[in-house]
Amino acid sequence: MSERYVLADLPKLADEDVDRTAALVKVLDSKTRLEILLLLAEEEKVVHQLVTELEKSQPVISQHLRVLRSAGLVSSSRKGREVLYALDQPDIIGIIHELASLEKLTEAQDELAELRKRRRENSGSAGGSIGAAIVDPPATVRPEVDPGLAPQTPKPVRD
């Protein structure tokens, strides 16, 4: 499946095709949604089966299913009192596998993970955490009296 593409052999994408692709990539930007798609590729499932297999809460799974349905990747149908979910676009599984096989992407993820690990180690050695610090200004720039929240506008003069 891992064929290499030559840019000259590919048609130019129209703006609406790029927009649609960007929207699809946003939908695929969740590990849980990818896992749902892979499970639905095996067989149709009801929500409680996905909840059990993915060990996530029912509201979380339902929200992800809503996103997948609105993108047209998943369809639903009633089965008695339950809703049965099915993969509506089976070709997406090949795309997921193709993305998973990208070497450079994997290397970049490994580099990012290593960078994050080093940052955590460095911040841990300083005894602090990553984030903003509250710093007390030096006495030379501090006012004698703290103005607090006193209004700067004069009070009205009464006649």
Side-chain angles (χ1 to χ4, degrees):
M1 174 180 290
S2 187
E3 51 187 80
R4 296 295 164 211
Y5 300 102
V6 178
L7 188 58
D9 296 340
L10 297 173
K12 182 167 173 42
L13 292 175
D15 285 344
E16 53 273 1
D17 294 330
V18 174
D19 291 342
R20 210 172 39 254
T21 303
L24 180 60
V25 169
K26 284 182 185 178
V27 169
L28 298 177
D29 187 26
S30 163
K31 181 180 178 186
T32 302
R33 286 196 284 270
L34 292 174
E35 290 171 332
I36 290 171
L37 290 170
L38 293 169
L39 287 171
L40 293 178
E42 297 170 7
E43 65 177 335
E44 296 176 333
K45 297 193 182 282
V46 292
V47 174
H48 70 82
Q49 290 174 308
L50 295 169
V51 166
T52 302
E53 291 187 43
L54 297 175
E55 298 178 346
K56 306 272 186 200
S57 71
Q58 185 271 328
V60 167
I61 296 297
S62 293
Q63 179 62 33
H64 285 296
L65 285 167
R66 259 191 298 281
V67 172
L68 292 168
R69 279 183 57 205
S70 68
L73 296 175
V74 169
S75 62
S76 62
S77 61
R78 281 245 168 241
K79 180 183 177 185
R81 292 177 39 190
E82 298 183 305
V83 178
L84 190 63
Y85 290 91
L87 187 62
D88 212 27
Q89 298 287 331
D91 292 343
I92 196 68
I93 301 304
I95 293 168
I96 292 169
H97 282 273
E98 186 72 24
L99 288 171
S101 71
L102 289 177
E103 250 179 72
K104 291 190 183 274
L105 183 61
T106 305
E107 290 171 8
Q109 288 172 328
D110 292 344
E111 288 175 24
L112 183 60
E114 182 62 31
L115 178 63
R116 287 178 176 158
K117 180 182 173 187
R118 278 186 270 145
R119 282 187 178 167
R120 277 194 304 272
E121 288 170 356
N122 290 341
S123 68
S125 64
S129 62
I130 297 176
I134 298 174
V135 178
D136 193 24
T140 56
V141 295
R142 260 187 268 155
E144 291 284 323
V145 178
D146 184 4
L149 297 176
Q152 301 298 318
T153 56
K155 291 186 178 186
V157 179
R158 300 208 187 259
D159 290 330

